[in-house]
Amino acid sequence: MKRLAIGALCAFSFTVAMAQRTTRDTIKTQELNEVVVEARNQRLGAEVSTYIPTAKQKNSAQTASDLLNRMAIPQLRVSPDNEITDLTGKSIDVFIDFLPASKNDLEGMRMQDVKKIEYYDFPADPRFLGKAHVVNFIMQKYEYGGYVKIYGLENTANAGQISLFGKLQYKRMTFDIAGGALYVNRGHTGADTYETFRIPQSDGTMRIFERNSIQKSAKRHDRTYWPTFKALYSSDKITIQNVVGADFNHSPVDNTSGNVSYIPEVAARADYTSLSTNRVNSLSYNGYWNFILNDNNTVTFSPAYSYSHTKTNSTYFEENNDEYYNAAKDHSHQFKADLTYAHSFGKWGNLNTMLQTIITTNRTTYSGTANTSDNAHTYRIGPGVQYSLSKGKVYGMVGFGYHWDRQEYLDDKENSAAPWIDFSLQYSPNDRHSVRTEFHHMKSIPSSSYRSSAVIQSNPLMSYTGNPDLVSYGSYDAGINYSFIPDNRFSLSAYASTWIVDHRYVYDYQPTATGILRTIKQPGGSYSQWSYGVYGSARFFDRKLQLTAQLSGRSVHNGNPYNLNKTHLSYAIQANYYLGNWSLSGVYYSPQGYPDGCMVSTWMKTRAYYSLQAGWSNSTWNLQLFVADFFRWHWRSDKSIMHSRYYDKIQQTYSINDHALARLAVTYTFGFGKKIKRGDEASRQSAVNSGILK
């Protein structure tokens, strides 16, 4: 038995050894398939969603908005004129390395230095100054050095620009200097206007007639110059940035001419001439001071001041009628300061306490058909608090506060107080799915330009004035968004939102003995707007081809005195293709329909828009040739339609916006030094709004 057992064991060992040898031989001769591991560059999260641009996307983009457009981030849309919004059209605040950025900052950014892009809804980080929706560019950091970027653009519409951006960093200090010039010379601008007047008569009848103003020629020249200087100090616990800038905008020529006719012929057909000039000179300062204290405390202070001097002149003349001359001069000052104190409780959340202050002064003088002076002051102080909590897959934020407003116009004084409320809840079960809801309520201060009591005559039948008694009006926003990113090749968002305005002011057209007086009435009837749709993108052939599409709808109710109800559906598609250093793209937008704000009943109708673009680029040069609307050779553009009880107005505008257009844009970037932090370029600074009656 013992011998049999030993024999069996030897036979088993021999069999196992042969099997192992056969397996080893098989392994040695078997050819394995290639395994490719691809990192995900799109991740959704409850607090923040992150997106990493590809080398092709960065290399082909000229500006930051161009890069966002090529990345097709599911929560964002970039319009043909480079406006960055969410899917419903609300504005997005943009930051670069947690510092506020303007449109020109995005133009001057060096694309190769973008490491990743973050998107936030109601972020807890106090460095974002309590903004609701934020895009933050994270840039490559360097030790010392700088770069120069030149951006030039010229198109067949006799318009162009040149911008220069320069950066120099030494140790903890970074200095930016930038400037630019823009020009426009156009002979196809203005509008044909078709008006209907309904004037009640003393005998109870209604006098109804049409006035048609048909444009025959136009000429417009615009010139803009802007310099800016920025200084930034940054350490582990202190960040101080100061920006000073100026903007000089001059429109020396804005002339149109044509003829006016009436149906029935209440007056003879006549030629008209309209001449106007406009100049705005402004200076501004913007500061950002952030201090990280001990025990998880942070203080952020953001002061800003701007001054604008505005001067306008206009003359309107019809044959066999009076000449209407109007001029206005305005000096406007605005001071803003936001102070935030934040404390982190760790896993128990974050608390931000805030204080907002706004002071605006407008001093305006009118001459011509109205000879008067306005002196308006607006004050706002708004304390508030926000608490946010993140628990893994869920992030929530709730905020509330008060706005105390004081408005002074000549001898009239108005005080008001109203609460503001923010709420946001976001759920992300993993980095592929995200659902968020939000609600916002606040009150807005009427612009001083609407509070003037001056009565200005613009033509023989139309005059307009403001309303010194306007008070703050409330608005309510609510929305829901779902985003889905299964992998790098596909993304999808579905959304719906509503905007409701309470106690709003509206343009009110009232009959007079000579025609129509446009006044401003408060309160008007209810106003509500709904937006909804889906947006998706897909990538093919190793992401060389990218297709995006959006289907969107808009429904509007505009109550008394207009009683307007409208719904419009539209869609947009875009394709991007990359081949080596070359890139090709095409865009198509269907005709759009949308309301021109809540103050009027004007419904805007746009034409379809389409374009093709070809580009070549490397790390230094980027050239893009762009053609749009190449099958359209007329100058007709947007159409606006407005109906009211006593007055209707239909306008057919003329512009280059919907005419065949070719454009060449070139950027050249020259870097020097070693690992400098590139971004946050100095930019053109915006001016405070003037108080001239509009």
Side-chain angles (χ1 to χ4, degrees):
M1 291 292 294
K2 185 174 181 180
R3 290 179 180 177
L4 289 174
I6 293 173
L9 179 61
C10 290
F12 176 77
S13 300
F14 177 80
T15 302
V16 171
M18 291 300 295
Q20 290 176 340
R21 180 178 179 181
T22 302
T23 302
R24 287 195 299 269
D25 292 343
T26 302
I27 292 175
K28 289 179 181 178
T29 60
Q30 182 177 358
E31 184 175 332
L32 298 177
N33 293 327
E34 181 182 4
V35 177
V36 178
V37 179
E38 182 181 40
R40 294 194 64 203
N41 61 356
Q42 302 182 105
R43 293 182 181 275
L44 297 171
E47 284 190 76
V48 58
S49 299
T50 59
Y51 302 90
I52 300 174
T54 66
K56 293 183 180 70
Q57 291 168 339
K58 292 192 293 185
N59 195 50
S60 60
Q62 287 189 329
T63 65
S65 56
D66 188 11
L67 178 62
L68 292 177
N69 183 46
R70 294 173 183 275
M71 292 179 65
I73 293 175
Q75 298 98 331
L76 302 177
R77 287 293 280 151
V78 180
S79 68
D81 55 357
N82 294 321
E83 292 296 326
I84 303 169
T85 68
D86 71 0
L87 297 180
T88 65
K90 297 177 185 175
S91 62
I92 299 291
D93 289 284
V94 183
F95 287 69
I96 302 175
D97 284 329
F98 303 95
L99 292 169
S102 72
K103 187 174 182 179
N104 286 88
D105 289 323
L106 306 183
E107 185 179 283
M109 185 190 299
R110 186 172 190 263
M111 296 298 99
Q112 284 74 17
D113 288 342
V114 179
K115 300 294 291 182
K116 69 176 180 178
I117 296 169
E118 302 174 330
Y119 177 76
Y120 298 82
D121 287 304
F122 294 93
D125 195 321
R127 290 175 293 182
F128 293 131
L129 304 174
K131 303 299 184 182
H133 307 288
V134 170
V135 168
N136 183 42
F137 286 82
I138 302 298
M139 308 298 292
Q140 172 69 56
K141 300 185 186 303
Y142 291 75
E143 293 178 4
Y144 62 86
Y147 77 91
V148 173
K149 179 177 180 179
I150 303 173
Y151 177 66
L153 181 152
E154 184 70 28
N155 63 39
T156 56
N158 291 325
Q161 71 175 86
I162 183 72
S163 301
L164 176 66
F165 305 89
K167 179 185 288 290
L168 175 65
Q169 178 180 327
Y170 179 71
K171 295 183 179 179
R172 297 185 183 275
M173 292 298 302
T174 303
F175 301 96
D176 293 81
I177 186 168
L182 299 84
Y183 85 94
V184 175
N185 295 330
R186 288 180 180 167
H188 300 279
T189 184
D192 293 338
T193 305
Y194 305 88
E195 302 167 285
T196 300
F197 295 81
R198 290 178 285 272
I199 312 296
Q201 303 298 297
S202 58
D203 60 1
T205 61
M206 187 76 72
R207 181 189 178 203
I208 303 175
F209 61 93
E210 298 178 10
R211 180 179 186 268
N212 300 327
S213 178
I214 307 301
Q215 179 178 296
K216 296 301 182 182
S217 65
K219 181 181 292 186
R220 180 181 179 121
H221 296 168
D222 292 312
R223 303 289 184 269
T224 299
Y225 308 95
W226 60 272
T228 300
F229 175 76
K230 177 190 295 185
L232 169 66
Y233 172 83
S234 181
S235 67
D236 293 339
K237 293 189 175 183
I238 299 176
T239 301
I240 298 177
Q241 177 177 271
N242 296 292
V243 186
V244 293
D247 196 300
F248 308 101
N249 187 290
H250 186 206
S251 298
V253 177
D254 188 4
N255 303 338
T256 60
S257 62
N259 59 70
V260 177
S261 60
Y262 296 85
I263 304 174
E265 195 170 330
V266 296
R269 181 187 181 97
D271 292 333
Y272 78 85
T273 301
S274 176
L275 310 174
S276 64
T277 64
N278 183 72
R279 181 185 291 274
V280 181
N281 296 330
S282 62
L283 301 171
S284 64
Y285 161 78
N286 287 276
Y288 179 91
W289 308 345
N290 177 262
F291 305 92
I292 300 176
L293 310 178
N294 296 328
D295 301 320
N296 298 320
N297 296 310
T298 303
V299 173
T300 304
F301 181 54
S302 179
Y305 167 78
S306 60
Y307 163 76
S308 292
H309 173 55
T310 305
K311 184 177 181 180
T312 66
N313 292 276
S314 66
T315 302
Y316 180 85
F317 173 75
E318 279 185 23
E319 286 182 308
N320 306 317
N321 217 318
D322 294 335
E323 181 178 274
Y324 298 92
Y325 171 76
N326 290 291
K329 294 180 181 180
D330 178 85
H331 296 270
S332 296
H333 303 261
Q334 185 177 79
F335 171 77
K336 298 174 65 176
D338 293 319
L339 178 64
T340 302
Y341 168 76
H343 177 73
S344 174
F345 298 100
K347 66 179 181 178
W348 302 110
N350 300 279
L351 182 69
N352 293 348
T353 57
M354 300 165 291
L355 182 65
Q356 179 191 61
T357 303
I358 303 175
I359 302 173
T360 304
T361 299
N362 301 99
R363 301 179 185 274
T364 310
T365 302
Y366 299 94
S367 59
T369 61
N371 288 280
T372 185
S373 296
D374 290 338
N375 190 355
H377 303 269
T378 301
Y379 307 89
R380 163 168 283 188
I381 183 169
V385 61
Q386 289 181 336
Y387 174 73
S388 60
L389 179 64
S390 179
K391 287 296 183 182
K393 301 176 181 179
V394 179
Y395 171 77
M397 190 283 300
V398 61
F400 60 89
Y402 250 85
H403 284 151
W404 278 276
D405 298 331
R406 179 179 176 85
Q407 300 177 70
E408 300 177 357
Y409 175 75
L410 299 178
D411 295 328
D412 296 331
K413 296 178 175 62
E414 176 71 29
N415 297 307
S416 62
W420 61 265
I421 302 171
D422 281 336
F423 171 77
S424 176
L425 183 63
Q426 302 170 52
Y427 172 65
S428 184
N430 51 51
D431 59 7
R432 292 169 169 81
H433 300 269
S434 177
V435 179
R436 66 172 174 86
T437 61
E438 64 179 75
F439 172 81
H440 175 67
H441 165 64
M442 67 169 294
K443 285 206 169 185
S444 300
I445 304 174
S447 170
S448 297
S449 63
Y450 296 135
R451 304 187 74 234
S452 175
S453 59
V455 178
I456 297 175
Q457 188 88 19
S458 59
N459 64 50
L461 293 172
M462 177 63 67
S463 56
Y464 58 97
T465 187
N467 184 351
D469 298 323
L470 294 180
V471 297
S472 300
Y473 63 93
S475 63
Y476 303 84
D477 293 273
I480 184 170
N481 178 282
Y482 167 71
S483 296
F484 173 52
I485 304 179
D487 52 41
N488 289 335
R489 295 167 295 178
F490 181 77
S491 65
L492 177 71
S493 285
Y495 60 92
S497 71
T498 184
W499 179 46
I500 300 172
V501 182
D502 179 41
H503 202 74
R504 65 175 178 141
Y505 49 80
V506 297
Y507 284 145
D508 192 25
Y509 297 88
Q510 293 296 321
T512 67
T514 58
I516 290 291
L517 173 66
R518 191 203 72 188
T519 64
I520 302 178
K521 173 185 176 182
Q522 190 180 37
S526 62
Y527 181 91
S528 57
Q529 178 176 307
W530 295 266
S531 299
Y532 39 86
V534 292
Y535 173 60
S537 65
R539 300 163 182 87
F540 307 93
F541 310 124
D542 193 26
R543 289 186 285 172
K544 292 180 181 179
L545 174 64
Q546 176 178 281
L547 303 176
T548 63
Q550 181 176 13
L551 176 65
S552 58
R554 193 188 305 270
S555 299
V556 177
H557 168 71
N558 193 334
N560 185 55
Y562 304 119
N563 300 313
L564 173 73
N565 294 282
K566 283 278 191 179
T567 295
H568 183 81
L569 294 175
S570 61
Y571 64 92
I573 55 176
Q574 179 173 333
N576 292 325
Y577 183 73
Y578 302 95
L579 183 63
N581 287 347
W582 290 90
S583 63
L584 302 172
S585 64
V587 175
Y588 178 83
Y589 285 81
S590 69
Q592 305 288 308
Y594 60 92
D596 189 18
C598 67
M599 190 177 176
V600 296
S601 70
T602 303
W603 183 258
M604 302 297 299
K605 298 173 67 175
T606 71
R607 297 182 179 274
Y609 170 85
Y610 49 90
S611 67
L612 293 174
Q613 180 175 288
W616 181 90
S617 56
N618 57 26
S619 59
T620 302
W621 287 94
N622 188 305
L623 292 82
Q624 292 183 2
L625 178 62
F626 170 92
V627 291
D629 299 321
F630 35 84
F631 294 124
R632 188 179 296 139
W633 294 94
H634 61 72
W635 302 96
R636 293 186 297 276
S637 187
D638 297 351
K639 189 175 185 179
S640 64
I641 303 171
M642 191 279 293
H643 297 290
S644 64
R645 181 179 179 184
Y646 298 107
Y647 176 71
D648 299 339
K649 181 179 181 180
I650 299 175
Q651 263 194 335
Q652 173 62 67
T653 61
Y654 295 92
S655 76
I656 189 61
N657 295 339
D658 293 284
H659 185 274
L661 172 72
R663 181 181 69 211
L664 177 65
V666 180
T667 65
Y668 173 77
T669 306
F670 169 75
F672 56 92
K674 180 182 179 182
K675 292 187 178 180
I676 177 176
K677 179 181 177 181
R678 294 176 179 172
D680 309 323
E681 281 74 13
S683 67
R684 173 182 169 189
Q685 301 297 300
S686 60
V688 58
N689 292 331
S690 80
I692 297 175
L693 178 63
K694 300 175 182 176

